[in-house]
Amino acid sequence: MLYNVLKLLHVLSIVVWIGGMVFAHFFLRPAALSLEPPQRIALMHGALQRFFGAVLVAVIVVLGSGVWMIGRVAKETVQAGLPFNMPLSWHIMAGLGVLMMLIFGHIRFALFKRLSRAVAAQDWPAGGAALASIRTWVGINLGLGVAIIACTLLLV
C-alpha cells in the first residue's frame, strides 16, 4: 500500500511539474505578450514565483519517492535471492530526472533571482533577458520531461 501511495505522489508531482511547464510555455507566456513589458514581466514573475514553489515541493517528492521505490524493489529482489537488475527505462528516468532537477535548480536559484532583481529595480530590459533565459531552460526541461515519460511508457 505504501508503495502505491508513493507512486501516486510521484506521478502527481510529475503532472504538476510537466503540466505547469506546458501551461507557462505554451499558454501563459503567449497570452502575456499582449501586455506592455512592465505588466508582462511582473505577471510572469508572480506566476513563476508560485509555480517554482510548487516545483520545489514536487522535486523533493519525486526524488524521495523515486529513491524509496527503487530501493524497495531492489531490497525485495535481493531478499528473494535474485540479482537486482534495474530496467533500462528506470535508468533513463533516474538519470534524466536528476538532470531536470539540476536544471530546475539553475532556473530557480540563478535565473529567477536575476528576474526578481530586475523586477525590484524596474529594469524591464534585464527582466526580459532573464525571462528569455528562463524560457530556454524551461523548454529544455520540458523536452527532457517528455522524453522521460516516453521512455518510461515505451521501454519495457
Side-chain angles (χ1 to χ4, degrees):
M1 180 66 169
L2 178 59
Y3 184 92
N4 291 338
V5 169
L6 287 175
K7 190 172 184 178
L8 173 64
L9 292 174
H10 190 85
V11 171
L12 289 176
S13 294
I14 291 165
V15 167
V16 167
W17 191 0
I18 303 293
M21 288 191 294
V22 167
F23 174 76
H25 203 70
F26 294 109
F27 303 100
L28 178 60
R29 182 188 168 278
L33 287 174
S34 66
L35 301 172
E36 292 299 316
Q39 291 82 26
R40 177 176 62 246
I41 293 169
L43 170 70
M44 293 301 295
H45 178 263
L48 290 174
Q49 186 171 27
R50 289 168 180 81
F51 176 59
F52 291 161
V55 173
L56 189 56
V57 172
V59 163
I60 292 166
V61 170
V62 167
L63 184 60
S65 60
V67 167
W68 189 89
M69 288 186 294
I70 290 170
R72 174 155 178 219
V73 170
K75 180 181 174 185
E76 288 178 355
T77 303
V78 169
Q79 286 177 340
L82 301 169
F84 175 66
N85 296 315
M86 199 161 82
L88 175 61
S89 61
W90 290 17
H91 281 284
I92 293 169
M93 180 175 27
L96 292 180
V98 168
L99 178 59
M100 283 184 69
M101 291 173 197
L102 292 171
I103 290 171
F104 169 71
H106 174 65
I107 293 168
R108 173 60 187 90
F109 298 109
L111 301 178
F112 186 72
K113 188 179 282 188
R114 286 185 210 154
L115 175 61
S116 295
R117 281 194 303 263
V119 169
Q122 296 185 350
D123 183 350
W124 307 122
L131 275 175
S133 294
I134 290 170
R135 178 175 166 245
T136 298
W137 283 104
V138 165
I140 291 167
N141 247 9
L142 181 56
L144 289 171
V146 170
I148 292 169
I149 292 169
C151 288
T152 302
L153 295 175
L154 297 176
L155 298 177
V156 180

